[in-house]
Amino acid sequence: MITRRDFGIGLGASTLAALAMPAFAQNTPRRLAMPPLLDTTTSGRFALNAQAAKVNFLGQSDSDTWGFNQPYLGPTLRVAHKGEVQAEVTNTLREDISVHWHGLLIPGEVDGGPHNPVAPGATWNPVLPIDQPTATLWYHSHIHGRTAAHVSNGLAGVLQLSDGQDDTRGLPSTYGVDDLTLVLQDRRFDRSGRMNYNPGRQEQMMGFIGDTMVVNGQVNPVAAVPKGIVRLRLLNGSNARIYVLSMADGRPMHLIAGDNGLLDQPQVVTQLALASGERAEVLVDFSSGAGTTLVSRSNPNRGMMGGMMGGGGQSSGSFPVLPFEVNTTLAARIDVLPGKLGGTLANVDLAGARRRNITLDMGMGMGMMVRSVFGGSAFSINGESYDMSKLNFTIKRGSTEIWRVRGAMMMHPFHVHGVKFQVLSENGGPVSPRNRGWKDMVLVNGEAEIAMRFDHAASPSFPYMFHCHILEHEDGGMMGQFAVV
Ligand code: C2O
Ligand code: CU
Ligand code: CU
């Protein structure tokens, strides 16, 4: 039998059987816990403390982990959609970290990227001027060259922007009851049950793909849901894996929000792709009282290297992500799908837009080997590997641009800081339903065109990043930076 421990790597059936160790089989399912909710909507302030800890994920040996205010991952920050928030980030670890507010449209000075390092023992006190619609965002460390390891160790969490109006919208909003936050990650554990981030050379190229599903930092959890309509706020917090999600019994998911805010109305999807860094909110109807399981297809990002890293080794081609059991003691508040959501589809005014080409490159073969022998990097954008001291371009504040983003060799989840954008086309064709809302990421499978207005300022010393959100690619140099002045 395939367990959630056993998907993902291209091993033969006998190796898979060997991986399903008895100790793991005894790791009985337990109820999924939410990350603690840190509601800042009245106080307007919060504190995050980056710390080292130990977590026993599999009932075997402890793993060394990092987290914010807890052993692994961080609290769900609920933040008012308008107003200034006083953040405080303390670093008790032994290396620089940062906290980037992924999806927040705030000035470059407080964006939390590679130019906002928090040194060991130091505290960072940015004021975040927030003014954007309700959305499910996230935060994570973003130190150049170390982002993959930091996120893998646990320096990430969810940030909910809230305007307090979900009840009038008819949306589920009781945290952890009918409004679930789900951080999806694939991780790897060694034979003693220690979480192990040790990408080999091939995985540096293709992105790290784990063999064990971890949801909210738990292996093998089961979610309890009320008999009614349940909202799932999905974050793909994996380093590289792309999930293609569906419900095992075929019941529809009703997409209500993409990366950066609510849609105009729910859209029925039976399958939902979610690349690393992307978020989506869906409603799922449990009012029949029947449970089901959220499942994913194997990682489709095989690229030209073939199926080896793509998640083969599994006959069904899909694996369970999270089972749901209906628990009638939980109160269901909503049993009718809302009609209008009050959000909008992305609609950038393209008048006067300037065009720009962005090419995500992976050096391959001899060129890559020569470059890495001499300390260079295989990864680049428009031929240049990320250089912290170099501004790639400057954009005039208030202007609109259309970027044609092309990706080499495999799919690349492309992200831009400081903006929300509209996906205009995918491979010259129409935009897939899941990309019609406001986005801060787009999975580039060949080519995509995006349009955005640069309303927020980033000085040359605190520029915005644009990069691939496969963290091994980002760390390897598939990133650039721009100022908005
Ligand atoms: Cu989620 Cu530049 O990051
Ligand atoms: Cu970001
Ligand atoms: Cu990439």
Side-chain angles (χ1 to χ4, degrees), residues 133-185:
T134 172
T136 300
L137 313 178
W138 66 304
Y139 59 95
H140 61 82
S141 187
H142 207 313
I143 296 294
H144 183 53
R146 293 289 292 158
T147 299
H150 286 190
V151 172
S152 188
N153 284 351
L155 292 186
V158 168
L159 192 158
Q160 290 183 1
L161 281 180
S162 168
D163 61 5
Q165 294 304 305
D166 281 349
D167 287 355
T168 49
R169 292 185 181 103
L171 286 174
S173 64
T174 311
Y175 189 74
V177 179
D178 63 1
D179 180 355
L180 305 188
T181 290
L182 304 178
V183 182
L184 310 184
Q185 298 178 305

Side-chain angles (χ1 to χ4, degrees), residues 130-294:
I130 295 171
D131 186 3
Q132 67 188 92
T134 172
T136 300
L137 313 178
W138 66 304
Y139 59 95
H140 61 82
S141 187
H142 207 313
I143 296 294
H144 183 53
R146 293 289 292 158
T147 299
H150 286 190
V151 172
S152 188
N153 284 351
L155 292 186
V158 168
L159 192 158
Q160 290 183 1
L161 281 180
S162 168
D163 61 5
Q165 294 304 305
D166 281 349
D167 287 355
T168 49
R169 292 185 181 103
L171 286 174
S173 64
T174 311
Y175 189 74
V177 179
D178 63 1
D179 180 355
L180 305 188
T181 290
L182 304 178
V183 182
L184 310 184
Q185 298 178 305
D186 58 336
R187 294 290 182 253
R188 195 179 295 163
F189 295 87
D190 68 16
R191 292 196 148 265
S192 60
R194 283 193 197 91
M195 195 168 73
N196 207 352
Y197 176 68
N198 55 351
R201 191 176 180 78
Q202 172 94 339
E203 290 173 309
Q204 297 282 3
M205 286 308 288
M206 303 301 291
F208 177 83
I209 300 294
D211 60 7
T212 302
M213 196 60 222
V214 178
V215 182
N216 295 351
Q218 295 155 74
V219 179
N220 232 11
V222 175
V225 291
K227 192 167 180 273
I229 289 171
V230 174
R231 175 187 197 165
L232 308 179
R233 300 179 191 245
L234 301 160
L235 160 65
N236 182 346
S238 307
N239 283 23
R241 178 179 288 274
I242 299 169
Y243 299 90
V244 183
L245 300 166
S246 59
M247 290 293 160
D249 65 356
R251 84 179 68 180
M253 298 182 282
H254 303 270
L255 182 69
I256 57 166
D259 289 326
N260 223 286
L262 292 168
L263 306 178
D264 54 345
Q265 59 189 46
Q267 293 184 29
V268 177
V269 289
T270 47
Q271 236 185 25
L272 179 67
L274 203 64
S276 50
E278 282 189 304
R279 290 86 61 213
E281 295 183 39
V282 296
L283 300 181
V284 180
D285 191 350
F286 289 96
S287 52
S288 75
T292 185
T293 298
L294 180 67

Side-chain angles (χ1 to χ4, degrees), residues 46-108:
F46 64 83
L48 294 176
N49 186 33
Q51 57 187 55
K54 296 208 184 283
V55 173
N56 191 331
F57 287 97
L58 298 180
Q60 299 174 263
S61 302
D62 283 346
S63 301
D64 291 309
T65 58
W66 292 356
F68 292 109
N69 305 359
Q70 59 182 358
Y72 181 74
L73 299 177
T76 298
L77 300 173
R78 181 177 289 166
V79 174
H81 77 123
K82 249 191 188 118
E84 287 195 342
V85 173
Q86 176 65 67
E88 179 180 298
V89 177
T90 302
N91 180 9
T92 69
L93 299 167
R94 282 195 291 249
E95 64 177 87
D96 285 7
I97 62 148
S98 79
V99 178
H100 167 55
W101 324 99
H102 179 136
L104 265 192
L105 309 177
I106 52 174

Side-chain angles (χ1 to χ4, degrees), residues 360 411-413 468-470 473 478:
L360 314 175
M411 294 186 238
H412 302 273
C468 177
H469 223 289
I470 290 178
H473 290 183
M478 196 181 281

Side-chain angles (χ1 to χ4, degrees), residues 24-43:
F24 176 70
Q26 285 155 21
N27 179 14
T28 46
R30 58 200 168 108
R31 181 164 166 191
L32 177 78
M34 291 295 105
L37 179 65
L38 213 166
D39 191 336
T40 76
T41 50
T42 43
S43 69

